[in-house]
Amino acid sequence: MASWYLQTLGCDNAADVSPENLFLLHERHLEIIPYTNYSIFFNASVPSLDTGSLFDRVIVKKLGGYCFELNGL
């Protein structure tokens, strides 16, 4: 799953943990993956926070997420 996430962000060099690469990863995440919290209000429940559900929602379906979803992923 990590490789799909990194590919989505355009950061394929996961082995490079330099400050510059980590800054790029953080910046791309903020630019590409939206913060949304509407599902909590419309569904009146907290979405599943397991890794598979988070990956499906945020990366595959490109729906974004709220802080616990994005940080968990």
Side-chain angles (χ1 to χ4, degrees), residues 2-66:
S3 63
W4 279 65
Y5 174 72
L6 294 172
Q7 287 174 358
T8 298
L9 299 181
C11 298
D12 296 327
N13 192 3
D16 179 8
V17 293
S18 67
E20 295 80 16
N21 198 44
L22 294 175
F23 177 81
L24 178 64
L25 177 68
H26 184 251
E27 182 178 57
R28 294 263 174 90
H29 180 94
L30 290 171
E31 292 173 349
I32 294 171
I33 302 192
Y35 175 89
T36 59
N37 60 2
Y38 65 88
S39 63
I40 296 171
F41 297 108
F42 292 118
N43 296 334
S45 65
V46 177
S48 175
L49 296 177
D50 70 87
T51 306
S53 296
L54 293 175
F55 182 83
D56 185 57
R57 176 180 169 77
V58 176
I59 301 301
V60 176
K61 295 179 181 173
K62 299 180 185 202
L63 295 175
Y66 68 101

